[in-house]
Amino acid sequence: MSVKKAFRTTQRTQDLVYATLLGNSLIGLALGYLLIADITITQPRYTIYGLLWIFVGAIVIWKTNPASADARTRRRATIVAIVYLSILSIVGGVIITTGGNAANALTQSFGIRVATLLPGWGPAPIITTPIGAVVLMPARIVGYLALTYLVYATVIDAARAAVSGIVGLLSCVSCSWPVIASVLSGVLGGGSAVAAIAVDFSYDVSTVVFILTIALLYWRPIVGRVGD
């Protein structure tokens, strides 16, 4: 066995160990949370979805290594990522404004409370103000940060291609449509469920879109094949 192959085998073993530890930790925390919060699970799949968002998101953030780039390119990628995260947070129900109703942004007064949602989705700190609210569901936060980090890496790849910057990103169909799809994921499984502090069939759809988007952005083709 060559040194290179042995290194890859060792790396894969370490990755599997770390992933197993993460999965076991999430399950342990979920069980502890269920006992403390005295929550009864009637639809187990929603709990699985929540833990899956966190597990996949954490793995992606850990394993994604953006290509090296100059300071200008990194700044541009950061701006695109921040705008993307902002849009995703709004359509996904992390940020709720009174103009968007959502039970009048959950109160219309200053305050902080914790919603005891199902594991993965909760415990969810909710920060309310007269102009809106921020709902910090763990699954959404970790998942959206993972998507944003992947978009950041994709923009850097686009900038390194023949067609640079955001034009390069959008010219590669197989790279740009997952970005749009992930926003759709937020629309399908976002604010309405948060406002009602409940879950519904949209979580099935949004989870599928989330996983597919993560996969396509993580194993994205080399940007630069214009019109790919």
Side-chain angles (χ1 to χ4, degrees):
M1 180 182 293
S2 66
V3 175
K4 188 175 182 180
K5 187 174 182 180
F7 175 78
R8 288 179 179 175
T9 301
T10 301
Q11 186 64 50
R12 289 173 182 172
T13 301
Q14 290 179 345
D15 290 348
L16 180 59
V17 170
Y18 292 147
T20 301
L21 288 173
L22 174 60
N24 289 337
S25 297
L26 288 175
I27 293 173
L29 289 172
L31 292 174
Y33 170 59
L34 286 173
L35 292 174
I36 294 173
D38 193 23
I39 297 175
T40 300
I41 297 178
T42 57
Q43 296 288 344
R45 75 179 190 277
Y46 294 126
T47 295
I48 294 174
Y49 294 159
L51 297 179
L52 185 62
W53 276 62
I54 296 175
F55 179 80
V56 172
I59 293 294
V60 164
I61 293 173
W62 166 40
K63 296 298 294 182
T64 297
N65 297 303
S68 59
D70 56 68
R72 184 180 181 184
T73 298
R74 290 197 301 270
R75 284 196 298 270
R76 289 180 176 179
T78 299
I79 292 172
V80 172
I82 290 174
V83 172
Y84 172 79
L85 179 60
S86 300
I87 295 173
L88 202 57
S89 296
I90 293 172
V91 300
V94 173
I95 298 175
I96 303 174
T97 62
T98 52
N101 194 6
N104 288 324
L106 301 178
T107 58
Q108 286 191 21
S109 62
F110 288 103
I112 299 177
R113 64 188 178 87
V114 177
T116 53
L117 307 179
L118 292 176
W121 308 108
I126 300 177
I127 304 171
T128 59
T129 72
I131 61 174
V134 177
V135 183
L136 303 176
M137 290 192 294
R140 294 290 184 199
I141 298 303
V142 176
Y144 290 171
L145 286 177
L147 287 168
T148 300
Y149 195 37
L150 286 173
V151 167
Y152 171 81
T154 302
V155 173
I156 288 180
D157 282 352
R160 289 157 53 89
V163 181
S164 64
I166 193 64
V167 175
L169 173 65
L170 296 178
S171 65
C172 175
V173 176
S174 56
C175 297
S176 60
W177 89 259
V179 176
I180 299 172
S182 58
V183 174
L184 176 62
S185 171
V187 173
L188 291 175
S192 60
V194 175
I197 311 298
V199 290
D200 55 26
F201 187 71
S202 65
Y203 275 63
D204 301 87
V205 180
S206 66
T207 298
V208 171
V209 175
F210 171 71
I211 297 299
L212 288 176
T213 304
I214 285 286
L216 288 168
L217 284 174
Y218 184 79
W219 287 290
R220 60 193 176 280
I222 298 175
V223 182
R225 291 180 293 182
V226 179
D228 180 24

